[in-house]
Amino acid sequence: MTRLCLIFDLDDTLYSEHEFAYSGFRAIERWAYGKWGIEGIAHDMKQMLDSGMLGKLFQEAFAKHRPEHSEEEFAELRDIYRTHDPEIALFDDAQWAIAHFAGQVPMGLITDGTTEMQQAKVRALDIAHHFDKIVFTHEGGGRDFHKPHPWSYEAIEAELGSTDARYVYVGDNAAKDFVTPNLRGWTSVQVRRPKTIHRQDVIADGGTPQHVINSLRELPGILGD
Ligand SMILES: [Mg+2]
């Protein structure tokens, strides 16, 4: 009998990263209004994101509303986004899956992004107590430790592991989420979301998910639970 260990990604797997971004834009709006009376920056940022811009979004929006801004002000804007208390909620099927599996099987979370920002998301979603191990990949040593770096997956195995464990990784992003699970003999599951920050059709070498589902409610069916 193998023992199921269920490991989730966070962003766009358990909640919508767009909702986090919009929440961050609103925090930036409050900050910019309080400091300089600037209005409309959240609206512009939302439009940029919705039209597919990601990399230069902050620079362009800030340049439009405060062309004379200093580097320190820009760093502050980025910090506001990363450290604000986000207004986000679990996807319905994520809430269902957590309730279904919590306490039944060991559960873990592996998430990329600056640690403070990812911690704020976990706090806002109030999910930490459901997980036996949460790995913030950034804590390994910054961006280099983001997925697919094996550090976080090894940490999960060390914490939750047993020789008969069957690890399952559930994520959204085939460009990074499934390479290492596939290499380590884990089961990889992609959940497809209608709207994601990262494209869902980009697949890394060796990163093809073994299962693709449209809702986490399909998990018991494919895992034989
Ligand atoms: Mg994700």
Side-chain angles (χ1 to χ4, degrees), residues 9-13 17 147 171-173 176-177 198:
D9 164 57
L10 180 61
D11 297 330
D12 281 335
T13 295
E17 195 171 1
K147 294 172 279 186
D172 66 292
N173 187 351
K176 65 175 182 179
D177 282 343
H198 301 284

Side-chain angles (χ1 to χ4, degrees), residues 135-146:
V135 185
F136 299 100
T137 58
H138 220 75
E139 285 193 322
R143 239 167 214 291
D144 289 349
F145 284 75
H146 287 192

